[in-house]
Amino acid sequence: MYTNAITRKPGENFAEGLTTSHLGAPDYQKMLQQHQAYVDTLKSLGLQVLVLDSLPDHPDAYFVEDVAVVTPQVAVVTNPGADSRRGEAHLIKDVLSKFRNLQFIQPPGTLDGGDVLQVKEHFFIGISERSNQEGAEQLGVILEEHGYTWTAVPIISGLHLKSSLNYVGVNTLLVTSAFQQLDFFAQTFSGYETIILDDSEIGAANTMLVNERLIMPVGFPGAREKLVKLGYPLIELDMSEARKMDGGLTCMSLRF
Ligand code: CIR
């Protein structure tokens, strides 16, 4: 069960963050409302939620997931792969050190938390445009010290591993059909059940399991129908503005 979450308020200039999506210009007031609903939802599930101040010099900083990987034993501060985001990492140190001992991904290693998917005692680490092999290995060494195992996963499309794949409980992975068709998928993810998303609903891949509830983005009825069968109560949140900035549900918090 998670007891804590760290989030960060989106800044007024959040639209200056990195994006590859063509979903139109994001709206700040809507973003704030959606962020508040997100925070309120985590609180309603019993988490204590810290909301850090926005960082005007780092318009993507509210995607706090990317700057750390938190386990019960240690928090690993990452070295984000995008130049514009690198400075965010050391700005999370003070708050994280109140909860965990810290370790650090060191250059030339790069790593974004969005590429790190924990499934029970195992971590899948995406090697993407943001996270390199060196970063994955550094994280892997730290995780092994604490009894975890890990596997590297090549990310060929989409920003991060968790843009395409998430763990939704009941030994089940939620995955886009494109990702599921990659030749390494069956072997790398053997032993799990899969729920495969239609191509028109890849935006639902970033669904988040928190304290026996599944939080999913609104607007994906096909995914909803498949997920409801897992038996968890579903909560739908409007993520329209974060999606315009290539972000989703998991990106906006560190949960531990
Ligand atoms: C970026 O490109 O870095 C941000 N605009 C979006 C980051 C999303 N983070 C995540 O998926 N963990």
Side-chain angles (χ1 to χ4, degrees), residues 170 212 214 226-234:
V170 206
E212 316 248 304
L214 272 178
K226 292 173 185 168
L227 287 167
V228 84
K229 294 187 184 135
L230 292 172
Y232 296 114
L234 282 177

Side-chain angles (χ1 to χ4, degrees), residues 22-36:
H22 300 284
L23 297 169
D27 179 281
Y28 187 50
Q29 288 314 316
K30 258 196 205 173
M31 180 73 236
L32 287 182
Q33 283 162 14
Q34 292 175 3
H35 193 265
Q36 188 62 51

Side-chain angles (χ1 to χ4, degrees), residues 95-237:
V95 64
L96 265 184
S97 65
K98 296 188 177 126
F99 297 96
R100 295 287 189 276
N101 289 327
L102 302 186
Q103 290 197 251
F104 298 88
I105 301 299
Q106 309 281 0
T110 63
L111 188 82
D112 278 14
D115 277 317
V116 182
L117 174 66
Q118 180 175 5
V119 185
K120 301 169 200 165
E121 305 304 302
H122 190 80
F123 285 76
F124 295 100
I125 308 176
I127 309 296
S128 67
E129 283 184 12
R130 300 289 177 88
S131 305
N132 62 18
Q133 184 71 30
E134 167 71 25
E137 281 170 17
Q138 287 183 28
L139 177 64
V141 167
I142 296 167
L143 292 172
E144 283 172 6
E145 281 166 11
H146 295 285
Y148 298 100
T149 52
W150 67 284
T151 317
V153 182
I155 305 305
I156 293 153
S157 66
L159 179 58
H160 289 127
L161 174 62
K162 284 187 283 192
S163 312
S164 302
L165 178 81
N166 279 277
Y167 182 68
V168 287
V170 206
N171 203 43
T172 303
L173 296 167
L174 177 66
V175 61
T176 63
S177 119
F179 197 84
Q180 186 267 342
Q181 283 167 34
L182 295 171
D183 51 9
F184 61 81
F185 185 86
Q187 197 183 348
T188 306
F189 298 100
S190 65
Y192 298 102
E193 303 295 320
T194 48
I195 294 178
I196 301 166
L197 292 165
D198 294 344
D199 287 343
S200 59
E201 295 206 336
I202 55 175
N206 197 261
T207 284
M208 176 167 85
L209 179 66
V210 177
N211 296 356
E212 316 248 304
R213 307 284 198 293
L214 272 178
I215 310 176
M216 67 177 293
V218 285
F220 301 100
R224 189 180 201 293
E225 204 180 308
K226 292 173 185 168
L227 287 167
V228 84
K229 294 187 184 135
L230 292 172
Y232 296 114
L234 282 177
I235 300 171
E236 290 174 287
L237 289 179

